[in-house]
Amino acid sequence: MDKNAVAAIALIVGVLVGFGVGWVAFAGTPTEQPSGLLAQIQARGYIIVGTSTPWLPFEYYNETSGQYEGFDIDLVNMIADYLNVTVHWSDMDFDALVGACKSGTVDMLAAAMFVTPERAEELAFSVPYIRTNEVVVVTGNSTLAIEDLEDLAGHSVGVQTGTVEDEELSALVKNGTNIDLHRYQKVDIMFQDLIAGTLDAVYVDEPVLVVYQKVYSLKNIFTVPAPPTALYCRYDSPDLLKAINTVILNAYSDGSLDALVEKWFG
């Protein structure tokens, strides 16, 4: 692990309780020499961004408009405008995102990704731009009730593959909790299985529940505070990271981030 990865992991503790001056200084003043990725992006005229749809309201593909839409999409478009480039979206399975960014297949990631020590070992993360909760969701007529995640023992539960929710429940299973864990690449299929009775519950980000409650009768039976959410790029791209952070910090200060929250979360 290089020195930037170590520094990022050390700073996660501070990020989890708020956005401190130390983090902003780290994000805005990278210690490595620029890799030239930002210059390459501006020379080619577009930035390649990895995402994973559907994960409403953060990202989804609108079949009617033929466009990607959502909170993350709007935020990345702000970054592209700042760089004076367009966006080429690369839509893939969530658990393929980190590898795609590390290999250079994409320039950055925007996929409602929580900040975790494991991800910080692999990639550099931006100034966090939102914080949500994780929730255990059941159908409206379900009688299932839990007081902690271990109480899901004996029940079939769906998660999106590679998410923090997947990691948390997988750890419980590994340690002996008898959860019948089902992993899905697509969250819409997971909710369909919940409604069909294939699953007893699903474990997702709270904003995802809010969207699907408009379609199905669903309820939250347990809430877990989640880490903050950030964008990701490679550690050898400090010039790009600095530009990303500049846009996010400006969006905090001028109110445009609040406007995105209002637009997508109401």
Side-chain angles (χ1 to χ4, degrees), residues 33-50:
Q33 293 299 313
S35 67
L37 178 59
L38 181 56
Q40 294 173 29
I41 291 168
Q42 292 178 313
R44 75 166 94 105
Y46 61 88
I47 185 168
I48 306 170
V49 183

Side-chain angles (χ1 to χ4, degrees), residues 152-202:
L152 291 171
H155 296 282
S156 56
V157 184
V159 293
Q160 186 183 44
T161 303
T163 59
V164 169
E165 291 90 352
D166 181 11
E167 294 171 1
E168 291 172 354
L169 294 191
S170 294
L172 290 179
V173 171
K174 183 177 180 180
N175 289 330
T177 303
N178 185 30
I179 299 172
D180 181 17
L181 190 59
H182 296 247
R183 297 179 177 86
Y184 290 79
Q185 296 293 353
K186 299 296 182 182
V187 69
D188 52 344
I189 303 300
M190 182 172 72
F191 273 100
Q192 289 172 19
D193 281 356
L194 175 64
I195 296 302
T198 304
L199 300 173
D200 298 320
V202 299

Side-chain angles (χ1 to χ4, degrees), residues 47-51 68 72-74 76-77 87-91 110:
I47 185 168
I48 306 170
V49 183
T51 193
Y68 286 94
D72 286 345
I73 308 303
D74 284 352
V76 169
N77 284 334
V87 181
H88 285 198
W89 292 100
S90 181
D91 196 351

Side-chain angles (χ1 to χ4, degrees), residues 29-132:
T29 56
T31 57
E32 295 186 10
Q33 293 299 313
S35 67
L37 178 59
L38 181 56
Q40 294 173 29
I41 291 168
Q42 292 178 313
R44 75 166 94 105
Y46 61 88
I47 185 168
I48 306 170
V49 183
T51 193
S52 183
T53 67
W55 193 254
L56 291 85
F58 290 97
E59 43 263 333
Y60 70 100
Y61 183 74
N62 187 323
E63 296 284 353
T64 301
S65 67
Q67 300 292 324
Y68 286 94
E69 299 178 4
F71 186 100
D72 286 345
I73 308 303
D74 284 352
L75 181 58
V76 169
N77 284 334
M78 291 168 59
I79 294 168
D81 288 344
Y82 176 78
L83 298 177
N84 195 30
V85 299
T86 59
V87 181
H88 285 198
W89 292 100
S90 181
D91 196 351
M92 65 188 76
D93 292 341
F94 189 86
D95 58 350
L97 287 168
V98 171
C101 193
K102 286 186 66 178
S103 69
T105 303
V106 300
D107 301 319
M108 62 175 288
L109 302 177
M113 297 177 70
F114 294 150
V115 176
T116 68
E118 293 77 16
R119 289 173 183 162
E121 288 183 356
E122 306 291 338
L123 295 171
F125 59 90
S126 72
V127 173
Y129 57 88
I130 197 168
R131 188 165 188 170
T132 62

